[in-house]
Structure formats: structure tokens, C-alpha cells
Amino acid sequence: MVEGLRYRDDAAHEEPAVTLDAFLDQSNATAVRLESDEDARKLLPFLDRLALIEVAFPAFRDGRGYSAGRILREAGYTGELRAAGDVLVDQILPMRRCGFDAFAPDRPLDPAAVERALGRYSNVYQQAADGRAPAWKLRHG
């Protein structure tokens, strides 16, 4: 994983992630990989024992992983949530808002560009898994 693209204080989880099917068939894995066409809700009964959920982003235009991230975070998942694949700088902020806290992009990203993207907007316009209050709520309570 690229240094600087992990936003957690704990140690990185190094166990290889197993496929969803393999995870559902075994009892000892603590890391699982969701492909973009797989349902994150299948993991909900197991969130307390998972240290890592890696969500595949096979193409930058495939946004199904955003929903998976938000579903998992809103269900109470607190482990590492890693976006892996065709991850671009301009996607990091919305991915963070959906609950992703680690990134494994196919191609290296400039850490300075990532930090600029994360700091670009002081307000948000909708609620998300990150808990930030949207601008309308700040204005109108």
C-alpha cells in the first residue's frame, strides 16, 4: 500500500483478504475483499470479527463501492475499510466521506495532491458516513 494513504492510528492489517465466497465458507478469516458486484450486507453479521474489508474499484467510473463503504460504516463497522483498484485523487474525498480510511490505488498518487483534495472544501452539502454536518444544517439547525 502507498504510504500516507491510510488514515488510521492502528497498525495496517497485513493478512491477505479472502473472497466473499471463501469468507462465508470459513470461520477464521479476519480480512475479506468485496468485488464491485457483491452485496456488502452479506458481511453485516460478521463485522465484529473483521479487521479489514477491502472494496474493489475496478474502474473509476464504477461507483458501487461507495455504497458498500457507507453500508458497512452505517452498520457499525469500525475496522479498516480499504478502497482498492482504480482510485483517483479526486475520488479520495468522497470515498473518505463514505467511510474509507485506507487506499490501495493501482497507480501511485501524489500525497500532496491527495492532501490538497481533502482540504479543498470546508463545507459539505449532504450527510454521509463521516458525520460531517451539511451546510444546510449548519445554517438552519
Side-chain angles (χ1 to χ4, degrees):
M1 183 166 12
V2 177
E3 284 298 316
L5 290 179
R6 187 169 187 279
Y7 299 90
R8 296 180 61 89
D9 293 331
D10 58 348
H13 192 78
E14 299 299 332
E15 177 187 345
V18 300
T19 66
L20 178 61
D21 288 340
F23 174 78
L24 295 174
D25 288 340
Q26 66 183 24
S27 61
N28 62 348
T30 60
V32 66
R33 178 180 169 93
L34 279 178
E35 298 301 328
S36 61
D37 62 344
E38 294 176 324
D39 189 351
R41 292 172 291 199
K42 290 183 178 181
L43 293 174
L44 298 185
F46 311 102
L47 296 182
D48 61 333
R49 64 177 244 213
L50 289 169
L52 167 68
I53 300 175
E54 183 176 277
V55 178
F57 285 84
F60 76 91
R61 65 189 170 276
D62 186 343
R64 293 175 285 182
Y66 291 92
S67 297
R70 187 161 180 183
I71 287 167
L72 293 165
R73 287 297 187 212
E74 289 179 350
Y77 180 63
T78 60
E80 183 173 327
L81 187 58
R82 183 184 299 161
D86 196 15
V87 175
L88 306 177
V89 169
D90 62 341
Q91 294 174 301
I92 300 290
L93 177 60
M95 286 177 174
R96 292 279 295 137
R97 297 219 55 232
C98 289
F100 288 93
D101 54 17
F103 302 90
D106 288 340
R107 289 173 299 285
L109 301 179
D110 176 6
V114 171
E115 290 309 310
R116 282 192 307 274
L118 288 173
R120 185 166 291 135
Y121 303 107
S122 57
N123 292 306
V124 296
Y125 292 97
Q126 66 231 22
Q127 290 181 306
D130 66 355
R132 289 176 64 186
W136 61 267
K137 191 168 190 172
L138 295 173
R139 278 188 296 235
H140 304 292

